[in-house]
Amino acid sequence: MWCYSALAQLARLDDVLIAGSDLSGLLLGRPYVGTRHHEWQATGSADVEAHRDLLVRLVAEMDTRIRNLPPRRDKFTRFHAGFPLIVVVLEEFAGLLRLASTAPVEKGQPKMREQLLALYGRLVSEGHKAGLRLMVVTQRADATVVGVSSAVSSACGSASGSTTRRPW
C-alpha cells in the first residue's frame, strides 16, 4: 500500500513525472490512463520490447539532461512543470528480467535481459544527477535477483514509510 500512496501523492505534483515498467499494470498503467504520466509507462507482459524501449527513452532523457547541466553543477536540484523530477518505478523488475531471458532478439544483438540490465545500470549509476529517482518495487529484495553488482546494490536504498515532504 505504501507504493500506491507515495505515487498518488507524487502524481498530483506538477513538477513530478511518474514513469516506469510494470508487468501487471496494477501499480502503473491503468491508474494513469489519460494523464501526462501514461506515455512514460510500459505495462503488461505481452511486449518486452516496449519495456526496453521505455528504458532506452529514459536513458536518452537522462543523457540529454546531463549534457545540459549548467557549468559548475554536478546535479539538478530544481524542478518545475517543464522540467520535472522523473520518478522511475520498476515494479517486479526481476520478473521482467525472467521474461526477457526468453525474448527473441535479432541476430548479433545482445540478449534482451542484458539490454535491460545495462539500461538499469545506467539509470542507477547516473540518474540522480539528472533528476531521475528510481523506485524498484519487489516482493523479495535481493540484489542477486536483478543481477546487479554489490557497488550498484549499495547505491540503492529502501523505504518503509510515507511522507508528504518532497524527498529531493
Side-chain angles (χ1 to χ4, degrees), residues 7-25:
L7 292 174
Q9 290 176 50
L10 290 170
R12 286 187 293 231
L13 302 174
D14 290 336
D15 59 348
V16 176
L17 178 69
I18 307 296
S21 167
D22 178 5
L23 286 178
S24 71

mmCIF file of all heavy atoms in Angstrom, residues 7-25:
data_model
loop_
_atom_site.group_PDB
_atom_site.id
_atom_site.type_symbol
_atom_site.label_atom_id
_atom_site.label_comp_id
_atom_site.label_asym_id
_atom_site.label_seq_id
_atom_site.Cartn_x
_atom_site.Cartn_y
_atom_site.Cartn_z
ATOM 1 N N LEU A 7 3.028 7.128 -4.720
ATOM 2 C CA LEU A 7 2.873 7.507 -6.123
ATOM 3 C C LEU A 7 1.667 8.411 -6.342
ATOM 4 O O LEU A 7 1.730 9.341 -7.151
ATOM 5 C CB LEU A 7 2.787 6.263 -7.009
ATOM 6 C CG LEU A 7 4.084 5.457 -7.103
ATOM 7 C CD1 LEU A 7 3.849 4.168 -7.883
ATOM 8 C CD2 LEU A 7 5.203 6.280 -7.714
ATOM 9 N N ALA A 8 0.583 8.170 -5.628
ATOM 10 C CA ALA A 8 -0.600 9.031 -5.752
ATOM 11 C C ALA A 8 -0.272 10.460 -5.328
ATOM 12 O O ALA A 8 -0.696 11.430 -5.979
ATOM 13 C CB ALA A 8 -1.752 8.475 -4.925
ATOM 14 N N GLN A 9 0.490 10.596 -4.238
ATOM 15 C CA GLN A 9 0.882 11.933 -3.785
ATOM 16 C C GLN A 9 1.797 12.611 -4.804
ATOM 17 O O GLN A 9 1.620 13.781 -5.130
ATOM 18 C CB GLN A 9 1.594 11.852 -2.436
ATOM 19 C CG GLN A 9 0.685 11.464 -1.283
ATOM 20 C CD GLN A 9 1.464 11.309 0.007
ATOM 21 O OE1 GLN A 9 2.237 12.188 0.373
ATOM 22 N NE2 GLN A 9 1.269 10.192 0.689
ATOM 23 N N LEU A 10 2.762 11.871 -5.312
ATOM 24 C CA LEU A 10 3.717 12.431 -6.262
ATOM 25 C C LEU A 10 3.056 12.790 -7.596
ATOM 26 O O LEU A 10 3.391 13.800 -8.208
ATOM 27 C CB LEU A 10 4.862 11.449 -6.499
ATOM 28 C CG LEU A 10 5.817 11.245 -5.327
ATOM 29 C CD1 LEU A 10 6.756 10.073 -5.594
ATOM 30 C CD2 LEU A 10 6.602 12.518 -5.040
ATOM 31 N N ALA A 11 2.125 11.962 -8.050
ATOM 32 C CA ALA A 11 1.478 12.172 -9.354
ATOM 33 C C ALA A 11 0.695 13.481 -9.404
ATOM 34 O O ALA A 11 0.497 14.044 -10.483
ATOM 35 C CB ALA A 11 0.561 10.996 -9.685
ATOM 36 N N ARG A 12 0.257 13.970 -8.254
ATOM 37 C CA ARG A 12 -0.511 15.226 -8.221
ATOM 38 C C ARG A 12 0.374 16.454 -8.356
ATOM 39 O O ARG A 12 -0.128 17.550 -8.596
ATOM 40 C CB ARG A 12 -1.294 15.309 -6.923
ATOM 41 C CG ARG A 12 -2.494 14.390 -6.898
ATOM 42 C CD ARG A 12 -3.311 14.658 -5.677
ATOM 43 N NE ARG A 12 -2.548 14.264 -4.499
ATOM 44 C CZ ARG A 12 -2.985 13.477 -3.538
ATOM 45 N NH1 ARG A 12 -4.219 13.046 -3.591
ATOM 46 N NH2 ARG A 12 -2.239 13.156 -2.523
ATOM 47 N N LEU A 13 1.686 16.287 -8.180
ATOM 48 C CA LEU A 13 2.597 17.425 -8.239
ATOM 49 C C LEU A 13 2.957 17.740 -9.685
ATOM 50 O O LEU A 13 3.312 16.852 -10.453
ATOM 51 C CB LEU A 13 3.874 17.121 -7.436
ATOM 52 C CG LEU A 13 3.655 16.781 -5.959
ATOM 53 C CD1 LEU A 13 4.976 16.356 -5.327
ATOM 54 C CD2 LEU A 13 3.063 17.973 -5.213
ATOM 55 N N ASP A 14 2.891 19.014 -10.054
ATOM 56 C CA ASP A 14 3.205 19.432 -11.425
ATOM 57 C C ASP A 14 4.668 19.217 -11.779
ATOM 58 O O ASP A 14 5.007 19.090 -12.957
ATOM 59 C CB ASP A 14 2.869 20.913 -11.626
ATOM 60 C CG ASP A 14 1.379 21.170 -11.617
ATOM 61 O OD1 ASP A 14 0.610 20.233 -11.903
ATOM 62 O OD2 ASP A 14 0.989 22.319 -11.327
ATOM 63 N N ASP A 15 5.547 19.213 -10.778
ATOM 64 C CA ASP A 15 6.979 19.098 -11.051
ATOM 65 C C ASP A 15 7.511 17.670 -10.922
ATOM 66 O O ASP A 15 8.711 17.451 -10.796
ATOM 67 C CB ASP A 15 7.778 20.050 -10.154
ATOM 68 C CG ASP A 15 7.576 19.785 -8.667
ATOM 69 O OD1 ASP A 15 6.653 19.032 -8.304
ATOM 70 O OD2 ASP A 15 8.350 20.340 -7.867
ATOM 71 N N VAL A 16 6.614 16.677 -10.966
ATOM 72 C CA VAL A 16 6.993 15.274 -10.884
ATOM 73 C C VAL A 16 6.312 14.500 -12.011
ATOM 74 O O VAL A 16 5.134 14.700 -12.285
ATOM 75 C CB VAL A 16 6.597 14.649 -9.524
ATOM 76 C CG1 VAL A 16 6.899 13.161 -9.493
ATOM 77 C CG2 VAL A 16 7.303 15.357 -8.376
ATOM 78 N N LEU A 17 7.072 13.626 -12.656
ATOM 79 C CA LEU A 17 6.552 12.743 -13.689
ATOM 80 C C LEU A 17 6.768 11.302 -13.221
ATOM 81 O O LEU A 17 7.878 10.948 -12.815
ATOM 82 C CB LEU A 17 7.291 12.973 -15.010
ATOM 83 C CG LEU A 17 6.890 12.082 -16.172
ATOM 84 C CD1 LEU A 17 5.486 12.425 -16.653
ATOM 85 C CD2 LEU A 17 7.888 12.213 -17.307
ATOM 86 N N ILE A 18 5.718 10.496 -13.241
ATOM 87 C CA ILE A 18 5.808 9.090 -12.847
ATOM 88 C C ILE A 18 6.003 8.250 -14.110
ATOM 89 O O ILE A 18 5.109 8.174 -14.955
ATOM 90 C CB ILE A 18 4.537 8.611 -12.106
ATOM 91 C CG1 ILE A 18 4.189 9.529 -10.934
ATOM 92 C CG2 ILE A 18 4.700 7.167 -11.662
ATOM 93 C CD1 ILE A 18 5.192 9.577 -9.826
ATOM 94 N N ALA A 19 7.171 7.648 -14.239
ATOM 95 C CA ALA A 19 7.494 6.807 -15.386
ATOM 96 C C ALA A 19 7.790 5.406 -14.872
ATOM 97 O O ALA A 19 7.981 5.204 -13.673
ATOM 98 C CB ALA A 19 8.717 7.366 -16.111
ATOM 99 N N GLY A 20 7.835 4.423 -15.764
ATOM 100 C CA GLY A 20 8.292 3.126 -15.315
ATOM 101 C C GLY A 20 7.702 1.944 -16.026
ATOM 102 O O GLY A 20 6.969 2.064 -17.010
ATOM 103 N N SER A 21 8.030 0.787 -15.481
ATOM 104 C CA SER A 21 7.694 -0.506 -16.047
ATOM 105 C C SER A 21 6.946 -1.333 -15.004
ATOM 106 O O SER A 21 7.360 -1.411 -13.857
ATOM 107 C CB SER A 21 9.005 -1.210 -16.428
ATOM 108 O OG SER A 21 8.809 -2.560 -16.706
ATOM 109 N N ASP A 22 5.845 -1.935 -15.435
ATOM 110 C CA ASP A 22 5.020 -2.736 -14.529
ATOM 111 C C ASP A 22 4.373 -3.868 -15.325
ATOM 112 O O ASP A 22 3.475 -3.618 -16.126
ATOM 113 C CB ASP A 22 3.962 -1.842 -13.885
ATOM 114 C CG ASP A 22 3.005 -2.578 -12.959
ATOM 115 O OD1 ASP A 22 3.193 -3.788 -12.717
ATOM 116 O OD2 ASP A 22 2.061 -1.927 -12.483
ATOM 117 N N LEU A 23 4.846 -5.082 -15.126
ATOM 118 C CA LEU A 23 4.308 -6.225 -15.869
ATOM 119 C C LEU A 23 2.827 -6.440 -15.618
ATOM 120 O O LEU A 23 2.086 -6.838 -16.506
ATOM 121 C CB LEU A 23 5.074 -7.507 -15.511
ATOM 122 C CG LEU A 23 6.475 -7.648 -16.081
ATOM 123 C CD1 LEU A 23 7.122 -8.937 -15.605
ATOM 124 C CD2 LEU A 23 6.461 -7.575 -17.588
ATOM 125 N N SER A 24 2.369 -6.186 -14.400
ATOM 126 C CA SER A 24 0.959 -6.440 -14.071
ATOM 127 C C SER A 24 0.040 -5.310 -14.518
ATOM 128 O O SER A 24 -1.137 -5.526 -14.772
ATOM 129 C CB SER A 24 0.794 -6.644 -12.559
ATOM 130 O OG SER A 24 0.985 -5.414 -11.876
ATOM 131 N N GLY A 25 0.563 -4.101 -14.562
ATOM 132 C CA GLY A 25 -0.265 -2.945 -14.899
ATOM 133 C C GLY A 25 -1.129 -2.485 -13.750
ATOM 134 O O GLY A 25 -1.995 -1.629 -13.930
#
